[in-house]
Amino acid sequence: MEQLQQLRRYLSVGHHIPGRLRLRCRNPIVFQMIKREENQLNELLAQHPSIESYRLNLTTQSILITYDAEILPFELVEQLFCDDFDTVLNTGQSLLQRSLAAQ
């Protein structure tokens, strides 16, 4: 999560429907770094059981993430890129634990 917090300031939500999120990178240099370190991005996203896939788009400098909206609530994903990170992280961990426990 620390890595996500560091990247978060360079990303904005381009499009979001439940289960599908497009993040736009505000800085072309940062996007190139993400592309170069794609293995680390892979590891970061693989840690979360709700992430189904992702794709980097060099033309639009965006990341398309598909996720299981039943595990990761739409509202939490919205908050993750709009609200204070620490608040979202604490709330998100609590919601995630409850949703995984319910399965």
Side-chain angles (χ1 to χ4, degrees):
M1 282 299 190
E2 184 179 316
Q3 294 154 324
L4 181 58
Q5 185 178 13
Q6 292 171 358
L7 280 177
R8 182 175 178 262
R9 68 177 152 228
Y10 301 107
L11 302 173
S12 62
V13 175
H15 180 75
H16 187 205
I17 59 173
R20 188 174 185 275
L21 171 68
R22 181 173 305 277
L23 297 173
R24 300 217 185 270
C25 188
R26 297 181 190 136
N27 185 320
I29 295 170
V30 171
F31 187 80
Q32 291 303 321
M33 289 171 40
I34 292 170
K35 178 64 179 158
R36 201 172 27 251
E37 301 297 328
E38 191 169 353
N39 288 338
Q40 287 182 349
L41 178 63
N42 217 5
E43 290 173 17
L44 176 66
L45 295 177
Q47 293 173 9
H48 203 287
S50 68
I51 303 296
E52 296 171 350
S53 66
Y54 78 93
R55 191 177 81 223
L56 297 177
N57 185 322
L58 295 173
T59 304
T60 62
Q61 295 187 352
S62 64
I63 305 168
L64 178 65
I65 300 172
T66 56
Y67 64 93
D68 185 337
E70 290 184 21
I71 296 174
L72 188 59
F74 174 84
E75 295 79 13
L76 179 61
V77 176
E78 283 285 301
Q79 289 175 351
L80 185 61
F81 291 94
C82 298
D83 294 340
D84 173 62
F85 190 82
D86 291 330
T87 303
V88 172
L89 184 58
N90 293 334
T91 304
Q93 286 176 337
S94 174
L95 286 172
L96 181 60
Q97 288 170 353
R98 279 189 272 158
S99 66
L100 290 175
Q103 292 184 354

